[in-house]
Every structure is written in C-alpha cells, then in structure tokens.
Amino acid sequence: MESSKQAKLTTLRDAIATHVADGATVAMEGFTHLIPFAAGHEIIRQGQSDLTLVRMTPDVIYDQMIGVGSARKLVFSWGGNPGVGSLHRFRDAVEHGHPHPLELEEHSHAGMAARYTAGASGLPFAILRGYVGTDLAKHADMATIACPFTGEELAAVPALSPDITIIHAQQADRSGNVGMWGITGVQKEAALAATTTIVTVEEVVDELTPRGPNHVVLPSWTLAAIAPVPGGAHPSYAMGYSRRDNAFYTRWDRISRDRDVFRDWVEEHILGTEDHASYMESIDRGAGHV
Amino acid sequence: MFEVQPTLPSYSSDEMMTVTAARFLSDRQVCFVGIGLPSEAANLARLSHAPNVVLIYESGTIGTKPDVLPLSIGDGELAEKAEFVVGVPEVFAYWLQGGRIDLGFLSAAQIDRYGNLNSTVVGGYEEPKVRLPGAGGAPEIATSAGEVIIMLRHSERAFVPSVDFVTSVGFGRGGEGRPERAGRGPTVVITDLGVLRPDQSSNELTLVATHPGVSLEDVRVKTGWELAIAPDLAITEPPTDGELEILRDLKARTIVAHGG
C-alpha cells in the first residue's frame, strides 16, 4: 500500500483518459440520484470500448453507452427507464444484437448490493437470503451455501470489485475529501470495492457542508481523481444543487426508440460538444424540439 | 352490499384498483413500496385511513411522506420528506431481509395461477421476444416481506397459464407452497376487474370479488387459465367521494410538480 495518498484534482477529460482503458470493468453508480452522466458522455467522446459496465440500474446513462457500442457486457439488476418504461438501446442490444451482442450478468438489487459490500469488505463472496424459488438462480452467477452453524441454505454471490468506479457527488474539499447526501445508493460500497475511483463533484468547497440527510464522506486517500463538473448528473440530479429533469427522461423514450434518431442525438449533443458545459448548452437549445 | 347503478361509474378502473389496494393497508404497518400504482395506493392509504403507515422505498428513504407522487424511485421528494435515509445495501439487508417489512407491493408483466411473477423476459431467456427490465428488488420482497400485495391490470397476456420466467416466487410453479423461512407471500391480487386471493388449501388464485359493473365473463376472458371462483363472490365497494377526492388531489399536485 502506498502511504499518504491523495486524490488528484483534475479535469474530467484527464481523469477518464488516465484511468479508463479499453476492456476495463467500470461501475458508474448512483441510484436515480447523483448518476455520473458527464463521465459517461466523456467515455463516449473518448471512445473506450469493450467495457464491462456494472450498475444496479443501467438507466439512460448505460442506454447511451450501450447504444454507441461501448459495452461488451452488462452486470445489472433492473434495466428500465425509471417512471417511463423501456431502455430501448439496451433492449435493441439484447433482442437484436445491435450494435453488437451484449453479454448479460443479471442479479437482484439485494444481490448486487451484497456483491459490492463484499468487494468493499475484501471478501470473495457475499451471502444473502435471496433468489429463493426464482429462475434468476439458474442464470445469475450464484451458488447456494449451507450455514455452518444452522445448516440453513443461503445464496452466495461473488464479490464485485470493479477496475474503476465513477460516481458524482455534491462536494469535495480542497484536500480531496468527498461529501454526498440524500439518496446515496451503493456509491460508498462501489467506491471502496474498486481498484480506482473517480469522483465528479458539483463544487469544491473549503469545508464539506451537507444540506440534506444521510451525509456520506469518502476520504481523499481512497480516491484517485476528482473533477469538478457542475450539473454533471444531468438528467439525474444532485440534491441541494439541481432537480431531476423528468421531462428529459420522458423525451428519452422517443429519442432512443429509433436507431437513427438516437445516433443523431449522440452526434449533436455528445460527440458534437467538447465538454459537459457545452453539452448542457446544447440540451437547453434542443429541449423544445427533440 | 351496494346496489349496482345503471349509470356509468364516475371513476376510472385504475382509480378503483388504487382505492381497493389502499384499503388493504392498515395503520402503523411497515410497507415496502414500488413506483406507479403501488405508490399511489400506499400514499392514498397514508392520507386517508392509515396516517401512521410507514412507507419505505428501495432507494433507502424510510418513513417518507411525499406531498406529490414520485416519478422515479429516487426522486428528491422522497429523501426530503423521509424520517431518515440509508444506503441501498442497508435497506435490503437490515430492513427487508432483517424482517422489518410487514407488507410489500409487487407488480409484473406476467402472473400465473399460483402467484408467481415474471418481470424479466417474454419468450426464452437467451432469445427473448421482449426483454423486460428485470428483477430489481422484487425477488427478495417476495420472500422477505411478511406478505405481498400484487397489483396488475387484467389481460390474457398478463394472466398466463405458465410464466416465461419466475422472477419472484409466489407458491411455486406447481402450487407446492412457500419456501422455508419465507413470508406468507401473495395474500391478495388486485386488478382493474376484481380481487383474487390464494385458496387456503390449493394455493390457487381464486376470484373473490369483482369491481362494480364487471361481469364474471369479463374476468374469465382476460384470464389465461380456467379461473377458480369463490362461492361467495362479492362486489367491491366503489370508491367513496372522500377517497376519490384525496386521490385526485394527490394526482393533480403531482402533475403540477412534475411540470405536466
């Protein structure tokens, strides 16, 4: 172990270029709240491919990455557009192999949460009372194990230890400690389970000042890089900074349903913008007519 | 028993469904809630006869009292109005698996006569006709909650003789019963046409009530198996003016909050 590590304060472009390689296993977490969309867009711009993408809820962020062909494999537990319906690029990949076949590794939420917890705990697997009586047990990477004390049969699922975890948080202080609050999902576990963790933040502050419940702190020495990206969760949100763009999630249904409309949208708003600030400008311009 | 009115009802079939489900919640129960109709029903119960019901969403928001219905499971409203918020591993490990949940709500794309649910695929797993979102929290809600209320609109596509995939277990494919150490499982299925409950001995879902104006034939046509009918088949009480007013106010506030 290196000593006195500290997260590097850098740009998102530099963080992604430095840490995300072709073929990597990447977890980009955020349970509806604090989804690191700007980082997903930057990976699309830089074109890393053959990725194993890990996320409990693939959401629109992975629909976009799957649609452009970034992913070889998806590890997940619920693949819908929350409150809207299907993820059409995900479905097109699974149902028709477009733009190329997508390998699936599928679990339940409880299983994924347990897997990250095992990864963060340095254990090879997690146990839970799960998957009972389901067909998921036949397809998920799981086994049953007998409790050595009571003999109860339990589900065992392998630890998740991503090469890179990327999350979005509200704040970092000048030493690189990160603070997030509100719905924090599995981000703490995903960050501590990974070899390398990148965090995009709304702002850098002198002192972490939570403005909501459930304040979670990740110390600087557990993180590799921090990039300030205001609004970096859009169309997801950051409690205390922005509201969820529910209208965008609804519009996404139409954009993603058709391969050409999707491709044009990516060309205009992701590949046609140089960073997140210009993405936000292009979205504001396009909101009325997409 | 109420008298069947010859006029068209002044409420929709979804409202009937939501009101019926809300009535199954009692005060002070601890309830694990999903988005959509379950969330409507649970909040209607909280705003009417069950003010102390504890609502938990899988995003980790515990004891939440949203003023408007969330569009997603992780809307800011749920965190802002929660008694407290925890991480997702904790909500599944301590609160659900730990046995703290009295009642879970589930829905699905398909259900069979033994209350097994499919929200994973239509067709084969390797080459699906329709790839559905998948399990989410459902498999463990189905086994770890004290009991399960299922809400699902009636159709032949949904009420199938055999589900293509068991995402969440009811009484097993052959109706053999509940897994060891699991909760009671589905105790009631509420649809837009009526109410079904598992038979005490066979575990088979049995129609116990139809909603006002719905005929037995309507239900049979939309059920993909030979439907068992309770001998004392009832008619659901229609929504009261009070229930409809609270539900409609809630939905109107929601539309304003989400910008139409």
Side-chain angles (χ1 to χ4, degrees):
Chain A
M1 275 281 183
E2 282 176 58
S3 60
S4 60
K5 287 192 288 191
Q6 188 171 343
K8 183 185 176 193
L9 190 64
T10 182
T11 62
L12 178 58
R13 185 181 299 159
D14 173 65
I16 298 296
T18 304
H19 296 290
V20 182
D22 289 350
T25 296
V26 185
M28 304 176 76
E29 281 293 354
F31 202 82
T32 307
H33 178 219
L34 292 175
I35 299 174
F37 267 93
H41 296 164
E42 185 56 28
I43 291 174
I44 292 174
R45 285 187 200 102
Q46 294 188 16
Q48 283 90 343
S49 62
D50 205 28
L51 301 174
T52 293
L53 294 179
V54 186
R55 224 184 112 71
M56 291 180 65
T57 60
D59 204 282
V60 166
I61 184 175
Y62 280 4
D63 208 39
Q64 293 171 348
M65 296 176 76
I66 290 164
V68 301
S70 310
R72 178 185 70 77
K73 179 177 175 180
L74 177 69
V75 182
F76 76 112
S77 44
W78 190 83
N81 180 344
V84 178
S86 288
L87 292 176
H88 296 291
R89 293 300 92 219
F90 158 70
R91 279 187 57 182
D92 203 13
V94 177
E95 293 170 13
H96 309 113
H98 178 87
H100 51 70
L102 181 69
E103 187 187 334
L104 296 184
E105 183 180 317
E106 181 162 11
H107 283 267
S108 66
H109 279 351
M112 285 290 281
R115 297 184 67 194
Y116 277 124
T117 304
S121 308
L123 289 170
F125 69 94
I127 51 168
L128 70 154
R129 194 176 284 125
Y131 304 80
V132 181
T134 71
D135 288 337
L136 205 55
K138 297 173 199 161
H139 296 280
D141 191 6
M142 61 84 66
T144 54
I145 187 169
C147 168
F149 305 105
T150 65
E152 181 184 355
E153 197 170 87
L154 295 158
V157 286
L160 266 174
S161 302
D163 297 326
I164 303 117
T165 286
I166 307 176
I167 60 174
H168 185 73
Q170 280 99 342
Q171 296 177 339
D173 68 18
R174 294 185 199 286
S175 309
N177 302 302
V178 162
M180 57 183 163
W181 62 83
I183 292 165
T184 56
V186 288
Q187 287 98 301
K188 180 177 180 176
E189 290 75 16
L192 296 177
T195 308
T196 299
T197 297
I198 301 171
V199 188
T200 56
V201 295
E202 289 291 328
E203 63 172 338
V204 176
V205 294
D206 291 329
E207 193 175 341
L208 300 179
T209 47
R211 297 196 296 272
N214 186 35
H215 192 221
V216 171
V217 175
L218 290 167
S220 179
W221 49 269
T222 62
L223 309 170
I226 294 169
V229 186
H234 178 272
S236 171
Y237 71 105
M239 188 181 196
Y241 291 83
S242 59
R243 289 171 63 87
R244 190 173 188 268
D245 189 347
N246 284 330
F248 182 94
Y249 275 92
T250 304
R251 278 209 308 284
W252 186 253
D253 188 70
R254 236 177 319 142
I255 297 165
S256 61
R257 202 174 275 273
D258 181 273
R259 291 175 186 174
D260 294 333
V261 176
F262 165 76
R263 192 70 229 176
D264 289 348
W265 186 89
V266 170
E267 293 282 351
E268 180 178 353
H269 298 287
I270 300 181
L271 297 175
T273 58
E274 61 177 29
D275 58 17
H276 191 69
S278 57
Y279 157 83
M280 290 300 285
E281 282 170 30
S282 85
I283 290 295
D284 287 344
R285 277 199 309 275
H289 59 79
V290 176
Chain B
M1 244 342 120
F2 90 108
E3 288 171 44
V4 176
Q5 302 294 317
T7 50
L8 286 171
S10 54
Y11 52 86
S12 71
S13 57
D14 274 3
E15 285 173 334
M16 182 73 250
M17 205 172 156
T18 303
V19 166
T20 306
R23 291 172 183 163
F24 280 95
L25 264 72
S26 25
D27 205 18
R28 299 191 188 281
Q29 272 189 315
V30 180
C31 185
F32 207 90
V33 190
I35 290 302
L37 291 174
S39 179
E40 273 184 41
N43 281 288
L44 171 60
R46 181 177 62 80
L47 295 168
S48 52
H49 65 278
N52 302 301
V53 69
V54 179
L55 305 187
I56 299 183
Y57 290 72
E58 69 190 13
S59 50
T61 55
I62 296 186
T64 188
K65 301 177 176 68
D67 287 337
V68 300
L69 295 168
L71 183 78
S72 80
I73 197 84
D75 275 21
E77 176 78 6
L78 293 175
E80 283 158 20
K81 303 293 163 58
E83 282 167 6
F84 60 106
V85 180
V86 300
V88 165
E90 180 176 327
V91 83
F92 283 103
Y94 296 178
W95 301 90
L96 179 60
Q97 187 175 269
R100 301 280 172 182
I101 308 295
D102 297 319
L103 184 76
F105 272 107
L106 291 176
S107 192
Q110 292 181 335
I111 185 170
D112 68 16
R113 72 177 75 201
Y114 297 115
N116 302 297
L117 299 174
N118 172 18
S119 55
T120 301
V121 286
V122 177
Y125 186 80
E126 299 302 334
E127 289 184 0
K129 267 186 257 171
V130 181
R131 175 63 226 201
L132 302 164
E140 285 76 27
I141 294 170
T143 49
S144 289
E147 63 176 302
V148 174
I149 292 183
I150 297 168
M151 294 181 77
L152 188 59
R153 292 184 188 91
H154 236 108
S155 78
E156 221 180 343
R157 268 174 35 186
F159 284 69
V160 294
S162 175
V163 293
D164 292 342
F165 192 98
V166 178
T167 311
S168 308
V169 71
F171 296 95
R173 281 196 181 272
E176 54 273 21
R178 294 288 294 162
E180 264 187 77
R181 291 185 181 82
R184 291 161 67 201
T187 51
V188 59
V189 179
I190 296 152
T191 83
D192 51 341
L193 301 182
V195 178
L196 299 88
R197 282 180 177 267
D199 181 82
Q200 296 285 334
S201 51
S202 71
N203 293 325
E204 180 172 341
L205 293 176
T206 303
L207 187 71
V208 297
T210 52
H211 297 324
V214 173
S215 74
L216 258 185
E217 196 50 29
D218 293 338
V219 189
R220 282 199 174 111
V221 164
K222 290 186 171 179
T223 305
W225 66 82
E226 187 71 37
L227 182 64
I229 316 283
D232 53 347
L233 184 70
I235 296 174
T236 317
E237 290 290 337
T240 65
D241 290 347
E243 286 167 330
L244 283 176
E245 191 184 331
I246 294 168
L247 179 60
R248 288 171 183 175
D249 279 355
L250 176 63
K251 294 186 81 168
R253 285 201 300 278
T254 299
I255 288 167
V256 171
H258 294 320

